[in-house]
Amino acid sequence: MSIPTYKGIVENGVIKLEINVKLPEKTEVYVVVPEEKPKFDLAKMAAKMPKDYTPREEDFGEPVGKEAW
């Protein structure tokens, strides 16, 4: 079963699709609302780091596939 997907926006409580789509009366539809991604503030995150933090090189072992370093 294929599921057509259309992008739209809500204006005054009405869903307006970006393209002119004609749906038959009584068509069952589902509305999926994406969650907003959290916005990170790098300065705030860095301020929470311990004052004595010293970055170090990490070792992930020998390559196990076709990756190149």
Side-chain angles (χ1 to χ4, degrees), residues 3-51:
I3 301 174
T5 306
Y6 307 103
K7 186 175 180 181
I9 190 165
V10 177
E11 293 179 357
N12 297 319
V14 176
I15 299 172
K16 296 189 177 191
L17 301 176
E18 285 186 342
I19 57 176
N20 191 13
V21 177
K22 302 285 186 200
L23 298 174
E25 285 295 315
K26 309 243 185 228
T27 298
E28 187 175 77
V29 297
Y30 298 87
V31 178
V32 178
V33 180
E35 293 183 32
E36 283 193 35
K37 294 179 183 174
K39 295 180 180 153
F40 297 102
D41 183 335
L42 185 57
K44 286 181 183 176
M45 291 171 62
K48 292 180 181 180
M49 293 172 61
K51 299 296 179 200

